[in-house]
Amino acid sequence: MKYVLVTGGVVSGLGKGVTASSIGVLLKACGLRVTCIKIDPYLNTDAGTMSPFEHGEVFVLDDGGEVDLDLGNYERFMDIKLTRDNNITTGKIYQASVGSVIDKERKGDYLGKTVQVVPHITDEIQDWIERVAMIPVDGKEGPVDVCVIELGGTIGDIESMPFIEALGQFSYRVGPGNFCLIHVSLVPVLNVVGEQALDDNVKGKLSQFCHVPEQNIITLYDVPNIWHIPLLLRDQKAHEAIFKVLNLQGTTKEPLLKEWTSRAEICDGLHEPVRIAMVGKYTGLSDAYLSILKALLHASVDLRKKLVIDWIPACDLEDATEKENPDAYKAAWKLLKGADGILVPGGFGNRGVQGKILAAKYAREHRIPYLGICLGMQVAVIEFARSVLNLRDANSTEFDPNTKNPCVIFMPEGSKTHMGGTMRLGSRRTYFQIKDCKSAKLYGNRTFIDERHRHRYEVNPDMIARLENAGLSFTGKDETSQRMEIVELPNHPYFIGVQFHPEYKSRPGKPSPLFLGLIAAACGQLDTLIQGSGSQGNLSAKLGNGIAMEKVYQKGTTKPAKVLSDGLYSYCNGVQV
């Protein structure tokens, strides 16, 4: 087994995750099987109880692991399926898992010795890495060839010190030729707009003071989109430097990145915009919705559209904001009304819920393509009950425990005393109830699908009959038929809510069907997409070829789409994707 360790210096957030993912892509392109481990030195057991403002979104794996968003990067870039053990935290090492250091100490496994950071904690870290590195994540049998390890945080952090010591010991444990260290740092270049490649003089100085061969200094500068990063590594022969350290020279092939190159170039050349309004609670931090942004990007690139995101704080749509901050209220509604499609993501807590309900109402009444995810599905059901069934106090018991019309309720198996790891998590099966519905067609007319979940509340099964009699259609349910998974408005151009999180399984070149449907509906091309859903690989040829087309709106009018410069997070134009 070969190991590649990626560390970071100077400041956090340099892009270690993207670098580690890109290294994995490059090694895979050379014919190697690759797995990844992310080390987060914080004391939390996992990312599940942290606010998105702390570390960005919580990424959910098939096995229900709530992990750092970098594992999402690994899965998307390398098209692999990781486990919860691929994310190591200090909390897991000390106490959280069976076989942890504290667990062993309580059982007497250390034979009465004083339990210390060195060697007991450092040994546990090394044992964990060796054990998890052997688990295949690409669907094939047998161990992989290379394990890429990313150490979170910055070298010098106090909480990282046990891991740094453990990894230093680990390099000796696995022996010469089996361990390669890659350090990601920041080198400011003055009097330059943006980042650029380092010149030879700078590389010479870095080589001299860091004791690194000059040919091993790789420059990762600003690029139009992150799909270029593996190409930058390839062009600078990073794989050859890694293979030299790992004694893999002559055992691998030249990296084959034709499809990756094509996708990066296509993304650069897109010019016809599609505007999606993101109505959320954490719009001040794009990483809070990272997987959703990636899924939208995958779908828009597949359909040859330039994605433009209009960030709308849900609170700004509410009546209270009209009184307190009328300018923010007007700006939010202007963005919502100008969008080609509306997406309401998941979230927890009462703040902004009324704004999300108003967004769902606007999409339903004005026939704007709508995708609601998790809470986004629940608010769509609440809005329908209030507006169509005239149940004015319809609500979720999460927000109003005493509501007389609970459309959304706490799941019976959930815990109200412990927050961490107690939600309905991981991959669960959804069975389609109706063949002739948009979601089933987008999934290729399959009878069931497996998608990842993360929720404590669900649509009240006692309300289903009334809602369906009024026109709402629950087209997907779990194996008991008591838990609602997909809801649609049959006579709407595209109005779908899902309890699961389809964004977690979206991949470049293999976009999530529901995100593909949203983008296609926003462009007036959903019918063409559904007709070709049986052969999704040909969708690019059917729906997009890079040629500018008039945009067909739901009202039947056509007009060229315009890109506004205010309040946008847009892809493929120099902003990181």
Side-chain angles (χ1 to χ4, degrees):
M1 174 67 70
K2 308 290 185 179
Y3 298 89
V4 177
L5 172 63
V6 179
T7 62
V10 184
V11 293
S12 185
L14 280 177
K16 295 187 304 297
V18 174
T19 301
S21 301
S22 299
I23 290 168
V25 168
L26 189 59
L27 298 182
K28 278 193 69 175
C30 292
L32 297 172
R33 295 176 62 198
V34 184
T35 187
C36 287
I37 294 175
K38 172 66 187 298
I39 298 174
D40 286 302
Y42 47 66
L43 288 172
N44 303 65
T45 298
D46 57 36
T49 58
M50 289 190 288
S51 164
F53 287 124
E54 292 285 323
H55 288 271
E57 74 167 5
V58 176
F59 190 80
V60 178
L61 303 170
D62 268 2
D63 66 359
E66 296 174 284
V67 296
D68 184 82
L69 59 80
D70 280 320
L71 276 81
N73 280 325
Y74 304 158
E75 285 204 343
R76 284 187 292 268
F77 267 55
M78 288 177 273
D79 195 16
I80 56 179
K81 288 186 178 181
L82 300 171
T83 71
R84 67 178 73 229
D85 286 346
N86 289 87
N87 192 192
I88 304 175
T89 69
T90 298
K92 288 181 180 180
I93 294 296
Y94 274 83
Q95 192 172 19
S97 59
V98 176
S100 65
V101 171
I102 300 300
D103 183 57
K104 290 178 180 177
E105 187 275 331
R106 291 289 83 190
K107 291 193 299 182
D109 289 356
Y110 296 116
L111 302 176
K113 294 182 180 180
T114 302
V115 180
Q116 298 175 291
V117 173
V118 180
H120 301 103
I121 295 296
T122 52
D123 283 351
E124 181 67 23
I125 293 168
Q126 294 176 72
D127 293 344
W128 190 304
I129 291 172
E130 280 195 320
R131 173 175 57 85
V132 174
M134 299 299 292
I135 301 173
V137 294
D138 55 4
K140 300 177 182 178
E141 297 292 331
V144 301
D145 301 308
V146 180
C147 176
V148 178
I149 306 166
E150 179 192 348
L151 176 60
T154 305
I155 296 297
D157 292 343
I158 292 176
E159 60 189 9
S160 300
M161 289 181 179
F163 292 98
I164 295 169
E165 174 62 28
L167 290 163
Q169 295 177 15
F170 190 67
S171 67
Y172 285 97
R173 178 190 284 202
V174 300
N178 294 314
F179 190 90
C180 175
L181 171 63
I182 298 176
H183 186 68
V184 181
S185 190
L186 175 67
V187 182
V189 180
L190 301 180
N191 298 322
V192 173
V193 177
E195 298 177 14
Q196 67 175 16
L198 298 178
D199 60 36
D200 292 339
N201 290 333
V202 176
K203 284 190 175 184
K205 288 183 180 180
L206 287 172
S207 175
Q208 180 180 2
F209 287 102
C210 299
H211 307 140
V212 176
E214 193 169 329
Q215 64 269 25
N216 288 4
I217 298 175
I218 310 297
T219 304
L220 300 180
Y221 48 84
D222 280 354
V223 289
N225 65 78
I226 58 172
W227 293 338
H228 283 281
I229 300 300
L231 309 180
L232 281 179
L233 291 169
R234 177 203 60 190
D235 294 344
Q236 296 175 70
K237 308 295 183 184
H239 55 294
E240 294 182 4
I242 294 171
F243 293 157
K244 185 176 181 180
V245 174
L246 297 178
N247 291 332
L248 288 173
Q249 291 170 305
T251 64
T252 59
K253 61 185 181 182
E254 282 297 306
L256 300 176
L257 290 168
K258 183 178 179 181
E259 183 178 344
W260 201 268
T261 303
S262 175
R263 188 180 301 116
E265 292 175 348
I266 288 172
C267 187
D268 289 346
L270 298 176
H271 51 81
E272 184 185 350
V274 56
R275 306 180 66 88
I276 302 297
M278 181 83 78
V279 183
K281 181 178 179 180
Y282 312 108
T283 53
L285 179 68
S286 61
D287 276 358
Y289 303 112
L290 186 62
S291 290
I292 289 178
L293 296 177
K294 301 302 183 186
L296 287 169
L297 176 65
H298 300 159
S300 61
V301 171
D302 202 71
L303 299 181
R304 303 300 191 267
K305 298 291 183 280
K306 181 174 180 176
L307 178 64
V308 180
I309 301 292
D310 287 333
W311 293 101
I312 303 178
C315 290
D316 287 356
L317 297 172
E318 298 174 357
D319 293 341
T321 303
E322 183 179 16
K323 299 176 183 178
E324 298 169 3
N325 191 343
D327 290 341
Y329 178 83
K330 291 177 182 178
W333 276 101
K334 181 179 180 181
L335 287 175
L336 188 72
K337 293 178 179 180
D340 303 324
I342 298 172
L343 192 151
V344 176
F348 299 92
N350 191 49
R351 183 171 65 85
V353 168
Q354 184 57 33
K356 293 182 178 184
I357 291 174
L358 290 170
K361 179 181 177 69
Y362 182 84
R364 181 181 61 82
E365 292 181 342
H366 293 82
R367 300 177 63 78
I368 305 299
Y370 176 90
L371 177 60
I373 297 173
C374 198
L375 179 59
M377 168 189 171
Q378 296 171 7
V379 298
V381 173
I382 293 170
E383 188 281 319
F384 188 87
R386 290 180 180 180
S387 301
V388 179
L389 293 180
N390 204 31
L391 303 175
R392 298 301 180 187
D393 71 334
N395 214 329
S396 166
T397 57
E398 180 181 5
F399 314 127
D400 182 4
N402 300 316
T403 177
K404 295 181 180 179
N405 292 287
C407 292
V408 179
I409 59 173
F410 191 83
M411 291 187 295
E413 67 270 33
S415 172
K416 293 188 177 182
T417 58
H418 288 70
M419 302 293 285
T422 59
M423 287 187 276
R424 184 170 179 249
L425 294 164
S427 182
R428 309 284 178 139
R429 185 154 291 182
T430 294
Y431 293 87
F432 288 106
Q433 308 297 304
I434 301 172
K435 291 184 178 180
D436 188 28
C437 66
K438 294 182 179 68
S439 56
K441 291 177 180 178
L442 287 169
Y443 276 100
N445 297 308
R446 293 157 59 184
T447 56
F448 64 84
I449 55 173
D450 294 313
E451 292 282 8
R452 300 177 184 179
H453 293 67
R454 185 176 185 248
H455 64 112
R456 284 192 177 88
Y457 291 81
E458 63 175 337
V459 176
N460 187 353
D462 294 338
M463 295 280 291
I464 301 307
R466 293 181 67 184
L467 291 166
E468 289 197 318
N469 288 338
L472 210 56
S473 179
F474 291 93
T475 58
K477 301 180 181 180
D478 75 341
E479 67 279 359
T480 69
S481 295
Q482 295 299 305
R483 186 155 283 158
M484 304 302 112
E485 295 282 4
I486 307 175
V487 64
E488 298 186 34
L489 275 176
N491 296 322
H492 191 283
Y494 191 85
F495 193 98
I496 296 178
V498 291
Q499 188 59 72
F500 50 80
H501 289 263
E503 69 271 20
Y504 291 141
K505 294 177 71 172
S506 184
R507 302 286 184 267
K510 295 189 289 185
S512 164
L514 296 177
F515 282 86
L516 208 57
L518 176 66
I519 297 297
C523 299
Q525 299 176 340
L526 182 61
D527 290 342
T528 306
L529 176 71
I530 288 178
Q531 290 170 11
S533 60
S535 55
Q536 215 173 88
N538 295 324
L539 289 178
S540 296
K542 290 176 178 291
L543 293 177
N545 55 10
I547 300 174
M549 295 179 288
E550 278 194 315
K551 186 165 187 319
V552 182
Y553 285 75
Q554 296 299 334
K555 295 181 180 179
T557 61
T558 61
K559 60 180 179 180
K562 296 180 180 179
V563 180
L564 302 180
S565 60
D566 56 331
L568 299 183
Y569 181 99
S570 60
Y571 291 103
C572 309
N573 63 350
V575 180
Q576 181 179 353
V577 297

